[in-house]
Each structure stands twice: as C-alpha cells, then as structure tokens.
Amino acid sequence: PSVIAIVLKVLQQLVVSGEMIGEALVPYYRQILPVLNIFKNKNINVGDCIVYGQRKRQNLGDLIFETLELLELNGGEDAFINIKYMIPTFESCVLN
C-alpha cells in the first residue's frame, strides 16, 4: 500500500501539471481504475483518536478519493462516465 500511495501522489501531480494531461489519461482508466477500486475502502477507522499520519497523506482511501476527484475534474466530459463504469460506487463531485 505504501507504493500505491506514492503512485497516487505522482498521478495527482501529473493530472494537475498540464492543461490536457487529464484528458489524455482517460483512455487508460481501464488499466488504472480497477486497482483503485480494490483499495478504495482502505480507510483507517480509529474512532475519536488522533491519526498523525494524516498530515503526511498516507491514508489510502482518502488518497484514492482525492485522485478520483482530480481525474474527474481534469478529465473532460467523458471522465465521470468512465470512472463510474469502473468504480460503480463513485459519486460525482461536479454533478452534486
């Protein structure tokens, strides 16, 4: 999971680094998104305790959620449809 966290951070930087990069990644969603669908529920449930790893952005579930939002925002008009097809529980941050 630590490798996945690093890859997600790099993917987020890649998507926001250029104007059309998010749209260029849409054809590759079929390779990227199934892995995210497997790990999307990997959240740390600690109740009311303090998790100091939050500032380092190491929670895999939160990173996946952030990455999916960035892919939707920067992926153009077909991004949500493709994400929803691969991850049925995903809800749009644009449409709601």
Side-chain angles (χ1 to χ4, degrees):
S2 63
V3 172
I4 296 173
I6 294 170
V7 169
L8 288 174
K9 291 175 187 176
V10 170
L11 189 61
Q12 288 178 4
Q13 289 288 59
L14 177 68
V15 168
V16 298
S17 65
E19 196 171 304
M20 299 295 288
I21 294 176
E23 292 182 31
L25 288 175
V26 172
Y28 301 100
Y29 281 4
R30 290 186 183 264
Q31 286 79 30
I32 298 169
L33 297 181
V35 178
L36 301 186
N37 194 24
I38 293 169
F39 290 103
K40 75 179 183 310
N41 293 325
K42 285 272 189 183
N43 282 323
I44 301 169
N45 185 6
V46 293
D48 60 350
C49 298
I50 296 173
V51 179
Y52 293 101
Q54 286 177 337
R55 66 183 171 89
K56 295 180 184 176
R57 298 177 58 217
Q58 295 175 336
N59 188 353
L60 206 51
D62 292 341
L63 272 174
I64 289 173
F65 183 72
E66 289 174 14
T67 305
L68 289 174
E69 282 186 341
L70 282 175
L71 288 173
E72 181 189 6
L73 290 172
N74 296 303
E77 58 187 36
D78 293 334
F80 173 69
I81 297 167
N82 286 303
I83 294 171
K84 187 71 172 176
Y85 179 74
M86 299 303 292
I87 303 176
T89 58
F90 179 72
E91 295 181 8
S92 176
C93 62
V94 175
L95 298 176
N96 293 337

